[in-house]
Structures are given as C-alpha cells and as structure tokens.
Amino acid sequence: KFRMPTADNLVPIRLDIETEGQRYKDAFTWNPSDPDSEVVVFAKRTVRDLKLPPQFITQIAQSIQTQLTEFRSYEGQDMYTAEKIVPIKLDLRVNHTLIKDHFLWDLNNYESDPEEFARTFCNDMGIEDPEVGPAVAFAIREQLYEIAIQSVASAREIKISKKGRRGAEHAISSKGGGNALDLMKLFRYNSSVVRKRKEWYVYEPIVDILSNEEVDALEAREDRNTR
C-alpha cells in the first residue's frame, strides 16, 4: 500500500506565498497522522515568529492542508512492487552553497533515512552551513514522493491492462499511461547501487561555495524566472 519509502512516513510540504508585497517561502516535512488542528497552530506561530501580516495565516494553513489532503488521497492504494532502484538527482543552492549530485536509491528499503543520508553527505563534503542538510533531505523526500505517486499510477495501469486488450490500449494512450509504463521499465532494469570505478567521475558530487556577487546574480535570475 502507498506510503513514503522511508523509515518515517512524512509529507514534503513546500510553501511559496506572497501577500501585500511580502513573500514567504519554506520547505519542511509533516506527519500526516498529526491532527489537522496543528496546521492552524503552525500557521499562527510562523506568522508571529516571522512578523508577517495576519493574512498569511489563512494562506499558509490552506496550502499545507491542500498538500496533506493530496497525500492522504493516495493512502490505502496499491503501489507497483518490484525491484526498485531509482535515480535521485540533487541540483540545489542553499545560501552560498551550490550542490550537484546523483545517486541510486532502493525504494524497497523502508528503513532508509534521508535526514541521516544528508548529515553524512554534509560531513563527508565538509559543508558547515546547517541549512544545507535539511535542504538535501527535503530534495530527496520530494523526489521519493513523486516516484511513490507514479508507483500508484503504475499499479492502476497494470490492473486496467489485465482486464483485456481494451484496458491495455487505454493504459498506453492515456495521459498518465506513458509515465507509468516508463516507470515499470525502469523498475525492471537490473541496476546496481555499487558504482563502477570507471563511472566514479560521473557520480562525483559537486559542491561549490559561491561569492556574494554570484549569489546576487543567481537570485536575480530566479526572481526573473518566477515573474
């Protein structure tokens, strides 16, 4: 059944809200088993701590609740089960630290811990900024969530295809069918989590510390893309 393929079944929540000329962006995880009343408490505390206009309370609460509702809509549904070694890609900037890396993740390991992976990654790479670790863990969880959703779609397409040729044709021609079939091919591919020596340079993580000028240029470009 559907759940995050990690030790903790947490929902990645991403917020990007702008009101009265002020913008609030954040990313964090949420326990879907927590009572919904905690959402409003969190929104009020955030607005108070960051001294945001009161209008943010409703928007923050609604955004979190919408994302939680979507996550819960998948609960209880079947997931496509097979050998699942999937690629995870990191391409993010946290303050002055730029990170690029890609590696393989075992979806059948329900004891995996993205936060522990991120702490080890930061220690190995000598990253001192305390905000980098949580950002790396969140990026991993966000991709695992997307893959889990695709796994539900794959299971649904398999059920349809078993009902006959008509169902199979629907799976291929439907809007989500292509992604589901591609995911099934990926899961059947016998890949290894051990990196071959000749491929080390391909997987080597890249960590750059940017200057103030480079950060300003990147932020200006991100603002233009957002607009």
Side-chain angles (χ1 to χ4, degrees):
K1 300 298 181 181
F2 174 82
R3 63 155 290 155
M4 287 290 289
T6 57
D8 296 318
N9 188 39
L10 303 177
V11 188
I13 301 292
R14 186 177 290 277
L15 300 178
D16 189 351
I17 301 170
E18 188 169 1
T19 299
E20 296 185 358
Q22 289 187 261
R23 189 178 183 185
Y24 168 60
K25 295 179 65 176
D26 203 357
F28 47 86
T29 55
W30 195 277
N31 188 340
S33 300
D34 285 349
D36 290 343
S37 59
E38 290 296 322
V39 174
V40 177
V41 174
F42 173 85
K44 290 180 178 179
R45 185 186 306 122
T46 299
V47 169
R48 183 184 68 243
D49 292 346
L50 299 180
K51 295 180 174 57
L52 296 171
Q55 292 84 347
F56 272 90
I57 295 176
T58 301
Q59 296 192 46
I60 290 174
Q62 287 180 345
S63 182
I64 295 174
Q65 193 61 61
T66 298
Q67 294 176 68
L68 287 175
T69 300
E70 180 183 4
F71 182 90
R72 290 166 180 162
S73 69
Y74 295 105
E75 292 180 334
Q77 298 192 42
D78 292 332
M79 295 176 67
Y80 176 78
T81 55
E83 181 180 0
K84 300 179 183 180
I85 305 297
V86 298
I88 298 294
K89 183 178 181 180
L90 298 179
D91 187 356
L92 65 156
R93 178 184 64 84
V94 183
N95 300 325
H96 285 69
T97 306
L98 184 68
I99 298 172
K100 293 186 178 183
D101 195 10
H102 59 289
F103 43 86
L104 300 175
W105 197 277
D106 183 3
L107 294 187
N108 281 328
N109 179 11
Y110 283 86
E111 298 301 318
S112 65
D113 187 344
E115 283 73 25
E116 180 61 28
F117 176 93
R119 284 191 290 270
T120 302
F121 177 86
C122 290
N123 289 335
D124 290 346
M125 302 304 298
I127 299 173
E128 299 180 355
D129 188 337
E131 295 184 22
V132 173
V136 169
F138 184 87
I140 295 173
R141 284 192 176 275
E142 206 167 36
Q143 292 176 66
L144 292 177
Y145 179 32
E146 183 63 30
I147 293 170
I149 292 175
Q150 292 178 13
S151 298
V152 172
S154 296
R156 191 180 299 123
E157 299 296 348
I158 291 172
K159 286 183 179 179
I160 293 174
S161 65
K162 286 182 178 179
K163 293 180 180 179
R165 182 180 302 174
R166 183 179 179 183
E169 291 174 352
H170 173 75
I172 295 173
S173 61
S174 67
K175 183 177 179 181
N179 290 336
L181 293 176
D182 290 343
L183 194 69
M184 290 160 59
K185 292 177 183 177
L186 173 64
F187 289 163
R188 283 198 294 266
Y189 178 71
N190 292 324
S191 182
S192 172
V193 296
V194 179
R195 299 170 180 172
K196 299 177 182 178
R197 181 179 292 274
K198 64 181 180 180
E199 297 177 349
W200 282 1
Y201 76 95
V202 177
Y203 287 94
E204 183 178 2
I206 298 174
V207 176
D208 287 333
I209 304 301
L210 305 178
S211 65
N212 291 332
E213 292 76 14
E214 290 172 322
V215 171
D216 291 342
L218 279 175
E219 289 180 345
R221 188 186 311 161
E222 291 170 359
D223 288 340
R224 286 196 300 271
N225 292 337
T226 301
R227 290 197 295 269

